[in-house]
Amino acid sequence: MLGFRLKVDADALTLPVEQHNDYRWLTSAELLAADNVHDNSRAYFLVEKRAEVPGL
């Protein structure tokens, strides 16, 4: 998985539905507290993991 940080106008996005039929916008705290977020996605928001990723 690749992670990217972008600034976008969420209301103007046209997101694909072929692979995912539901999108949610969460704060870092909400994402880390959610029990239905995959560990690989969660890792991008863990402070101890960010130290291992250049540019974050």
Side-chain angles (χ1 to χ4, degrees):
M1 177 179 5
L2 298 173
F4 298 92
R5 181 181 292 183
L6 304 169
K7 288 187 178 189
V8 298
D9 178 359
D11 294 328
L13 288 178
T14 303
L15 300 170
V17 295
E18 293 81 14
Q19 191 172 14
H20 303 288
N21 61 3
D22 190 25
Y23 293 89
R24 294 180 296 159
W25 300 107
L26 304 171
T27 65
S28 296
E30 290 169 332
L31 182 138
L32 291 170
D35 61 356
N36 59 350
V37 172
H38 194 279
D39 288 342
N40 291 344
S41 297
R42 188 183 309 278
Y44 285 97
F45 297 88
L46 295 171
V47 173
E48 62 272 15
K49 294 293 185 184
R50 275 193 245 160
E52 300 171 15
V53 180
L56 283 182

